[in-house]
Amino acid sequence: MTNQKGSSSSDEQMDKELFDTISAINNGLDKLDSMDTYVPDDKWFEQMVLNQQEVQKKKYRRELAWFILSAMLILSGVIFTMLELPMLFFMLQAATVAITAIYSYKGVQKQVGSR
Amino acid sequence: MDEKELINSAKKGDHRSFAVLFRNHYPLLVKYLMKITMNPDIAEEIAQATMAKCVEKIHLFNGKSKFSSWLISIATNMYIDQHRKKKREREWNEGEATSRKLQWHMESKNEEWTDALAALSRLTDEMRIPLILKHYYGYSYDEIGEILNIAAGTAKSRVHHGLLAVRRELKVDDKPKGKLVKR
């Protein structure tokens, strides 16, 4: 019983100390909060958003251009080999299937191994 | 226009709605970042980077949480990422040097740099951020876990250890009344 009382009073003391610590932290942070913060005007925010939207549009156009270019290169390569070098076309097809299968199998093996 | 309408029209690309949203949340965002970075310059830098990111990712905001919580989440992760990248740079050094400017900033405005703030500034980000989110902003451990991409249990443990570290430094003897209210 004495032990229980002793431990419960030390727990209370600990709780009280933690509560005081939280209070001290909050009081300090309140002082930070009470400081004035410079807020730019609406024009600045609007300009910032417009600039960011412009950056995004450029990025989107660049990515789309790269995608179309890559697609055209791949398609023209495929069509060329299919029409001019059918043997090479079938070998490439087989190699692609084999590489995909091996890569997938190794991925599954790695996952099983990590468990 | 209320916040929901502003967000909807911002999603459609209206820059004025974005501007109003950002202007309304800018002070909260900067002050939050000031608390976790302990550096006013870095706080402003990350606040602006957060807004830029927000323009890019607004379509991902689903409205389940408050817009301010979403901004805080983006800002926190940006700070952690940038801190990781720039750890070796002098301006991002840990500890006393980082908070000295903020201390000077406060003292120049006749605000006291308390022992608690000093102790808080000496904590690692891993402990300081969840501690502030929990006990100053009133987020639950689950919410903190979501913001920081960690388990709720990990968040709880970090808050507790952070609190113990501050208590050790403070050796509290005065008894101010704190508030544990969600803002």
Side-chain angles (χ1 to χ4, degrees):
Chain A
M1 283 299 277
T2 328
N3 250 354
Q4 276 183 346
K5 271 188 184 175
S7 69
S8 76
S9 72
S10 73
D11 281 352
E12 277 173 25
Q13 175 65 19
M14 178 74 159
D15 286 347
K16 194 190 154 305
E17 280 184 12
L18 288 181
F19 183 79
D20 287 347
T21 305
I22 293 165
S23 299
I25 289 169
N26 284 342
N27 289 337
L29 293 174
D30 273 341
K31 288 182 194 296
L32 265 184
D33 241 4
S34 67
M35 283 171 65
D36 290 334
T37 310
Y38 167 72
V39 182
D41 61 8
D42 284 13
K43 281 251 179 325
W44 183 89
F45 283 111
E46 281 181 31
Q47 197 52 54
M48 189 272 295
V49 174
L50 285 169
N51 290 347
Q52 192 55 34
Q53 286 175 330
E54 193 51 43
V55 166
Q56 259 181 267
K57 274 180 195 165
K58 277 181 186 170
K59 191 179 160 191
Y60 174 74
R61 283 194 210 110
R62 199 170 43 242
E63 282 178 0
L64 189 66
W66 274 113
F67 174 78
I68 290 167
L69 193 70
S70 309
M72 279 167 67
L73 279 170
I74 292 165
L75 278 175
S76 54
V78 166
I79 291 164
F80 175 79
T81 51
M82 204 164 57
L83 297 175
E84 302 296 321
L85 307 157
M87 199 59 204
L88 179 64
F89 173 76
F90 288 119
M91 277 163 68
L92 279 173
Q93 289 283 304
T96 307
V97 170
I99 288 165
T100 308
I102 291 164
Y103 192 77
S104 304
Y105 178 70
K106 284 203 166 175
V108 170
Q109 257 192 332
K110 206 181 266 184
Q111 275 185 349
V112 171
S114 68
R115 279 179 201 172
Chain B
M1 265 212 243
D2 68 354
E3 193 170 271
K4 220 171 188 176
E5 288 168 330
L6 285 169
I7 291 165
N8 284 336
S9 65
K11 279 183 175 179
K12 288 169 190 163
D14 179 32
H15 66 279
R16 284 192 188 84
S17 300
F18 263 123
V20 174
L21 274 171
F22 289 154
R23 191 202 53 215
N24 293 346
H25 289 90
Y26 188 79
L28 171 105
L29 191 60
V30 170
K31 281 175 178 172
Y32 164 72
L33 283 163
M34 227 183 261
K35 290 183 198 97
I36 67 164
T37 63
M38 293 278 165
N39 183 318
D41 296 337
I42 292 171
E44 280 188 20
E45 182 191 318
I46 295 174
Q48 288 171 23
T50 300
M51 291 186 299
K53 187 97 172 172
C54 176
V55 174
E56 191 187 338
K57 303 282 181 187
I58 189 73
H59 63 281
L60 297 174
F61 178 66
N62 54 18
K64 280 181 186 170
S65 60
K66 280 183 178 176
F67 187 71
S68 57
S69 296
W70 188 61
L71 281 178
I72 279 174
S73 177
I74 293 174
T76 306
N77 285 301
M78 283 202 105
Y79 170 61
I80 291 166
D81 288 349
Q82 287 199 25
H83 200 177
R84 219 172 270 151
K85 281 178 200 164
K86 298 184 178 184
K87 216 169 184 174
R88 288 179 196 151
E89 286 181 26
R90 195 180 288 175
E91 58 173 315
W92 285 74
N93 275 351
E94 294 280 357
E96 302 277 334
T98 314
S99 58
R100 208 170 290 143
K101 191 166 185 177
L102 184 62
Q103 186 178 345
W104 174 83
H105 216 71
M106 283 184 77
E107 283 167 355
S108 70
K109 295 196 170 145
N110 295 322
E111 285 286 4
E112 187 195 355
W113 178 255
T114 63
D115 292 343
L117 284 175
L120 205 57
S121 71
R122 280 193 286 271
L123 285 183
T124 60
D125 293 333
E126 275 187 349
M127 286 185 193
R128 184 169 60 244
I129 297 170
L131 181 56
I132 289 170
L133 286 170
K134 174 69 189 168
H135 290 300
Y136 194 77
Y137 288 95
Y139 285 100
S140 68
Y141 291 120
D142 287 330
E143 288 169 324
I144 296 167
E146 268 177 46
I147 290 170
L148 297 171
N149 300 317
I150 54 175
T154 309
K156 190 175 181 176
S157 153
R158 287 182 187 180
V159 168
H160 184 69
H161 284 104
L163 210 48
L164 290 179
V166 174
R167 186 181 69 103
R168 267 198 302 275
E169 289 212 29
L170 278 182
K171 296 187 179 100
V172 184
D173 44 20
D174 55 335
K175 304 172 185 71
K177 283 191 177 169
K179 48 185 174 301
L180 304 173
V181 181
K182 185 157 182 173
R183 294 157 201 227

